[in-house]
Amino acid sequence: MTYRAPVEDFKFVFNALADMPGLLKLPAFAGVELDLLEAVLEENAKFTAEVIAPTNRTSDRQPPVCQAGQVSMPAEIHEAFRQFVQGGWQGLRHPEQWGGQGLPKLLATATTENLYAANVAFSLCPMLTDGVIEALLLTGSDVQKQTYIKPLVSGQWTGTMNLTEPQSGSDLSLVTTRAVPQADGHYRLFGQKIYITFGEHDLAENIVHLVLARTADAPPGVKGLSLFVVPKFLVNTDGSLGARNDVWCASIEHKLGIHGSPTAVLLFGDDNGEVGAGAVGTLIGQENRGLEYMFIMMNAARFAVGVQGIGVSEAATQRATAYARDRIQSRAIEGSAGPVAIIKHPDVQRMLMTMRALTEAARAIACVAAAADDLSLEHPDAEVRRTNQALYDYLVPVVKGFSTECSLEVTSLGVQVHGGMGFIEETGAAQFYRDARILTIYEGTTAIQANDLIGRKTIRDGGATAHRLVSSMQQTVSELREVAMRLPAEARADLLLIADNLATAIAQFESVVTYMLEQTQENIRAAYAGSVPYLMLTGYVLGGWQMARAALACVDDQTEHLNAGISPAFMNNKLATAVFYAGVVLPRTEALGRTIHQGVALTQAVERSTLM
């Protein structure tokens, strides 16, 4: 089977949960009609299904080849990338003045999820290019913007970010790449970077590297890092390409998954280029503010990787569901004339519903976050911009950490649904599992996201954003109970189950936020011992909230206008998934809450142990 974009779910989430109609009233999107966005979504669904998805197995089985410092991509990937560029997909959400289409990030979240689901390895190239564009738009000089942004937006050039070095890993204070100022205002860079995704390839005319390095007189640690633009080919004043820069690919990595993405070791200043020793670069902004600037790109990438997790989960769920419908094995548990499709067996149903529920909940969180980002940038009211910026900032580590951790569970369940065939590469289930494994690691591990959620997103504002979320979620519980009273008995029971379990989960969340605020003052190790459980609890609760809102939109006659064009079958399935999520997934928050509150005991046990 091939991938089919979940267009109906996107339309539902856009209208019922993320308020796309409200976004289109903002001045920045004046003249953009909902019909246009739906047409773009439909065309993207067709493109990803017909052009990108068929390359997924090619990416896995015919990885890029590195010879003499140059990386060659398979012909099938070249053709897919050509059509990606020709279709203008790179510029979807970027400003019109730079050749983009200026459409909402909310729409781009859907179109990029489809791309990730169709071929996650392929998608990493445009994902990083998006991050370079955002970083240059916000921090680049006028000359840098004029030189680089239009070719990046068009897809003519691609971009990378260069942080990690062999000795530094996630600790960027250990970066040693040197930047030496030149008399003409440029810098010459010397050093090595590793794990550079699409750091070298032959899909585009030029590759624009953003590189963290330090000058000779820079202060130690992360405060001494500066950010530089280092192109593969220098760019002449008329925009044409000039000499080959002194940045080279030493090798590409052999990996567990995402085989189609060349992960390069890059050498800067190896004296192999046409410009002499040292890779020529230009400083972005001011010296020693590089990490601040790079975080723009890192935040964009972290959100995008979270959406990658959702895309891979969707693809794995579709594959497992199709297999379960076709695979005939064993009689029904209640008895049957002969063997039935395994989708009729209760435990297979449990696995498939878990996959579906986690994927749809994570998608809803990501779309709500994207809408908050759109509002934070474009709403005319400063206070609305501020609160939505705080909300988006809070949700980014959740989207990244929760969605990618869920992708591991979903793709593992996908293998299990296939049984022994899931362990065989030909079914494709194993590839989803292998590809998903990196998602909790790159662009900041789950622990890094969890530490960020505690330190920068919960403690820094005294839990204000978290408490605003509690108030909003409690309002949804009240609405569930109010609407339930107007419904027939069976539907009433569904909504009351959702309301009761969501209320319990909200109480756990609120208790944990209070605990974190207290323990970071009294016993910081106890707080951070529960950082990942806190992130996962937050994701489960927020996912339960969005699924509860979805359930309301399915049954409340006052919100029927949100569901124009959505089929009754879809609404029935969405409600069933919301009930399953509330009944089966939300109770996980109780165990996580207890784990977090035992942080003091955990740290004391570790201190007494000789294992650490």
Side-chain angles (χ1 to χ4, degrees):
M1 63 156 290
T2 187
Y3 167 74
R4 293 184 62 187
V7 172
E8 203 164 21
D9 198 38
F10 281 125
K11 290 179 180 179
F12 175 85
V13 172
F14 283 179
N15 293 329
L17 305 182
D19 191 21
M20 179 69 89
L23 285 181
L24 297 185
K25 295 176 182 177
L26 298 176
F29 306 123
V32 178
E33 299 291 340
L34 189 59
D35 288 350
L36 169 64
L37 301 190
E38 292 186 352
V40 171
L41 185 59
E42 295 279 2
E43 184 60 30
N44 177 262
K46 180 180 178 182
F47 171 73
T48 52
E50 296 179 2
V51 177
I52 303 300
T55 69
N56 194 46
R57 296 297 280 166
T58 300
S59 288
D60 194 53
R61 294 182 172 184
Q62 300 176 35
V65 176
C66 182
Q67 292 183 328
Q70 298 189 42
V71 173
S72 301
M73 303 294 290
E76 191 176 348
I77 303 302
H78 272 275
E79 176 57 23
F81 189 79
R82 184 191 68 79
Q83 292 192 49
F84 173 83
V85 171
Q86 189 176 53
W89 295 110
Q90 187 74 66
L92 191 74
R93 65 184 176 88
H94 297 300
E96 291 181 83
Q97 71 178 99
W98 299 107
Q101 297 165 52
L103 296 175
K105 181 171 183 170
L106 176 54
L107 174 65
T109 298
T111 59
T112 53
E113 185 199 308
N114 292 337
L115 189 67
Y116 302 146
N119 185 339
V120 69
F122 176 95
S123 73
L124 297 180
C125 186
M127 181 201 84
L128 288 164
T129 302
D130 278 337
V132 172
I133 293 167
E134 286 195 27
L136 289 175
L137 282 171
L138 291 174
T139 62
S141 67
D142 288 343
V143 171
Q144 288 168 337
K145 292 176 183 177
Q146 292 293 337
T147 302
Y148 296 108
I149 291 180
K150 281 192 175 182
L152 288 167
V153 168
S154 71
Q156 182 182 357
W157 299 351
T158 66
T160 74
M161 64 175 172
N162 294 243
L163 293 78
T164 307
E165 298 180 3
Q167 77 290 344
S168 66
S170 297
D171 185 358
L172 296 177
S173 66
L174 301 178
V175 163
T176 61
T177 297
R178 297 181 296 117
V180 181
Q182 306 294 300
D184 64 359
H186 289 84
Y187 289 73
R188 295 271 180 164
L189 275 70
F190 302 84
Q192 182 184 96
K193 298 290 184 178
I194 63 172
Y195 302 153
I196 309 307
T197 303
F198 276 92
E200 166 60 21
H201 61 84
D202 59 353
L203 295 178
E205 296 175 4
N206 203 3
I207 304 173
V208 181
H209 305 291
L210 295 194
V211 186
L212 279 181
R214 60 178 75 247
T215 56
D217 57 349
V222 295
K223 293 182 179 179
L225 294 174
S226 299
L227 186 61
F228 300 87
V229 183
V230 182
K232 176 179 175 179
F233 291 95
L234 300 185
V235 184
N236 299 319
T237 54
D238 65 355
S240 62
L241 298 184
R244 180 70 161 83
N245 207 352
D246 192 13
V247 51
W248 292 90
C249 177
S251 63
I252 56 177
E253 307 291 357
H254 301 279
K255 302 165 295 186
L256 174 67
I258 56 168
H259 294 155
S261 163
T263 302
V265 175
L266 292 185
L267 303 178
F268 295 81
D270 204 38
D271 200 12
N272 280 328
E274 301 170 0
V275 297
V280 177
T282 57
L283 177 69
I284 293 180
Q286 302 172 11
E287 286 189 4
N288 306 324
R289 295 182 66 185
L291 191 59
E292 172 191 340
Y293 302 147
M294 185 60 91
F295 259 110
I296 297 168
M297 187 174 187
M298 288 171 67
N299 262 344
R302 286 174 175 179
F303 180 87
V305 171
V307 180
Q308 281 178 20
I310 301 165
V312 174
S313 294
E314 176 65 36
T317 301
Q318 289 188 20
R319 184 71 57 90
T321 303
Y323 180 83
R325 285 175 175 152
D326 290 341
R327 173 64 166 156
I328 306 298
Q329 183 170 293
S330 302
R331 288 176 169 81
I333 197 73
E334 69 277 11
S336 60
V340 296
I342 64 172
I343 202 168
K344 299 298 183 182
H345 298 316
D347 194 61
V348 174
Q349 293 174 339
R350 176 194 62 83
M351 290 190 287
L352 291 173
M353 285 297 288
T354 300
M355 296 170 75
R356 174 66 56 205
L358 291 174
T359 302
E360 292 187 6
R363 175 180 296 128
I365 296 171
C367 286
V368 168
D373 191 41
D374 283 326
L375 288 167
S376 75
L377 296 171
E378 307 296 352
H379 200 281
D381 186 290
E383 181 60 19
V384 173
R385 291 197 304 273
R386 186 192 68 78
T387 56
N388 277 281
Q389 183 66 61
L391 176 60
Y392 178 71
D393 290 343
Y394 186 90
L395 292 177
V396 166
V398 179
V399 171
K400 202 286 186 184
F402 176 73
S403 300
T404 58
E405 290 289 341
C406 286
S407 75
L408 294 185
E409 179 177 355
V410 169
T411 55
S412 178
L413 285 171
V415 173
Q416 190 73 14
V417 168
H418 282 77
M421 289 303 296
F423 204 68
I424 306 300
E425 288 289 351
E426 279 71 18
T427 64
Q431 184 189 342
F432 295 134
Y433 191 31
R434 290 186 287 102
D435 286 352
R437 194 61 195 87
I438 187 59
L439 303 182
T440 63
I441 299 172
Y442 64 15
E443 307 306 341
T445 64
T446 303
I448 288 173
Q449 306 308 315
N451 289 351
D452 181 43
L453 182 64
I454 293 176
R456 293 189 181 91
K457 310 300 165 60
T458 301
I459 306 305
R460 184 174 288 181
D461 72 351
T465 302
H467 285 124
R468 280 197 296 271
L469 284 168
V470 168
S471 296
S472 297
M473 289 190 288
Q474 288 172 336
Q475 178 62 37
T476 298
V477 171
S478 297
E479 292 173 13
L480 284 164
R481 289 176 173 151
E482 178 185 340
V483 171
M485 294 303 103
R486 304 199 301 262
L487 298 176
E490 184 177 351
R492 181 185 308 141
D494 285 345
L495 255 61
L496 290 178
L497 182 151
I498 296 172
D500 290 345
N501 285 14
L502 180 57
T504 300
I506 294 167
Q508 285 286 354
F509 175 70
E510 188 171 23
S511 173
V512 165
V513 169
T514 300
Y515 174 84
M516 289 298 179
L517 291 169
E518 292 172 350
Q519 290 301 317
T520 49
Q521 299 298 317
E522 300 172 8
N523 187 341
I524 195 166
R525 292 192 69 85
Y528 280 84
S531 62
V532 170
Y534 170 50
L535 182 147
M536 294 304 293
L537 185 151
T538 302
Y540 287 130
V541 174
L542 294 179
W545 177 35
Q546 296 309 322
M547 295 304 286
R549 295 180 63 218
L552 275 172
C554 289
V555 301
D556 188 358
D557 56 11
Q558 296 181 24
T559 60
E560 286 181 352
H561 65 285
L562 298 174
N563 303 319
I566 304 295
S567 70
F570 172 89
M571 302 291 283
N572 179 68
N573 291 338
K574 176 63 76 172
L575 180 59
T577 306
V579 173
F580 180 90
Y581 189 100
V584 177
V585 178
L586 267 182
R588 297 181 185 187
T589 60
E590 297 182 54
L592 288 168
R594 292 187 66 181
T595 298
I596 294 163
H597 280 286
Q598 298 302 317
V600 174
L602 171 61
T603 55
Q604 290 174 346
V606 170
E607 288 167 3
R608 292 193 302 269
S609 170
T610 60
L611 298 173
M612 300 296 174

